[in-house]
């Protein structure tokens, strides 16, 4: 597998946008990740550069993100990194970093969370049930003995 897996810790920057698509539920939000370092001259923590990622969640993860994640919350995102670059409105180098999330959770180093297990999605309905076939040979009507049965003495 030649995928770039990342684990990113940051704050939710936009309200998750949830959509029911033909392929299943999908949700996305922007994640702000700001590096911090200790400034010895100021003897204080200082914010560095902020990177923004678009986080994509699908299927049950999308449903849970829509119900659990809000702007400003600290989260941990694990997923596949996809960097795209294209030309937009005359700009030569426009780049976007997306994360196709495998797992998303609240950062418990910065707060608490109460976990609730989500109910499993309904299973697809089974095909119409047919009655079990009758495997026993149905009884035949009594008829006059055939000539072979009469000769053999079978009644």
């Amino acid at each position: 597998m030649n995928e770039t897996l990342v684990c990113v810790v940051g704050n939710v920057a936009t309200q998750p946008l949830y959509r029911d698509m033909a392929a299943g539920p999908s949700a996305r939000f922007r994640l702000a990740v700001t590096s911090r370092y200790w400034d010895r001259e100021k003897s204080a923590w200082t914010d560095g550069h902020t990177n923004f990622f678009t986080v994509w969640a699908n299927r049950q993860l999308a449903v849970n993100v829509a119900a659990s994640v809000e702007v400003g919350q600290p989260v941990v995102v694990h997923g596949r990194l996809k960097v795209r670059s294209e030309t937009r409105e005359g700009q030569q180098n426009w780049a976007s970093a997306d994360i196709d999330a495998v797992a998303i959770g609240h950062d418990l180093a910065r707060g608490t969370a109460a976990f609730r297990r989500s109910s499993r999605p309904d299973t697809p309905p089974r095909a119409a049930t047919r009655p079990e076939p009758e495997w026993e040979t149905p009884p035949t009507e009594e008829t006059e003995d055939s000539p072979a049965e009469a000769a053999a003495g079978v009644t």
Side-chain angles (χ1 to χ4, degrees):
M1 290 181 32
N2 292 328
E3 296 178 330
T4 304
L5 294 174
V6 294
C7 186
V8 182
V9 179
N11 291 320
V12 178
T14 62
Q15 186 64 32
L17 177 62
Y18 176 83
R19 290 198 175 140
D20 276 317
M21 311 284 274
S26 178
R28 76 171 191 259
F29 63 91
R30 299 279 287 165
L31 182 69
V33 179
T34 303
S35 62
R36 292 181 56 96
Y37 63 95
W38 181 256
D39 189 342
R40 291 183 182 172
E41 293 175 6
K42 297 178 184 176
S43 294
W45 286 100
T46 304
D47 288 342
H49 179 73
T50 300
N51 291 307
F52 287 91
F53 298 93
T54 301
V55 177
W56 295 88
N58 297 303
R59 295 177 290 284
Q60 187 63 41
L61 180 58
V63 174
N64 294 345
V65 163
S68 304
V69 174
E70 296 178 4
V71 174
Q73 292 180 336
V75 293
V76 179
V77 176
H78 176 72
R80 291 177 290 279
L81 178 65
K82 295 180 181 180
V83 178
R84 299 178 290 129
S85 60
E86 55 187 75
T87 303
R88 280 193 176 176
E89 300 174 11
Q91 293 179 359
Q92 291 290 332
N93 295 322
W94 177 85
S96 170
D98 296 354
I99 299 174
D100 186 12
V102 174
I104 300 171
H106 289 101
D107 183 0
L108 298 181
R110 297 193 275 164
T112 62
F115 180 79
R116 287 186 317 271
R117 186 172 301 277
S118 60
S119 61
R120 290 195 171 172
D122 294 336
T123 57
R126 289 186 176 183
T129 57
R130 291 185 272 170
E132 188 68 27
E134 199 58 51
W135 294 108
E136 294 183 20
T137 307
T140 59
E141 294 180 23
E142 290 187 27
T143 59
E144 291 184 23
D145 292 338
S146 67
E149 290 174 340
V154 176
T155 57

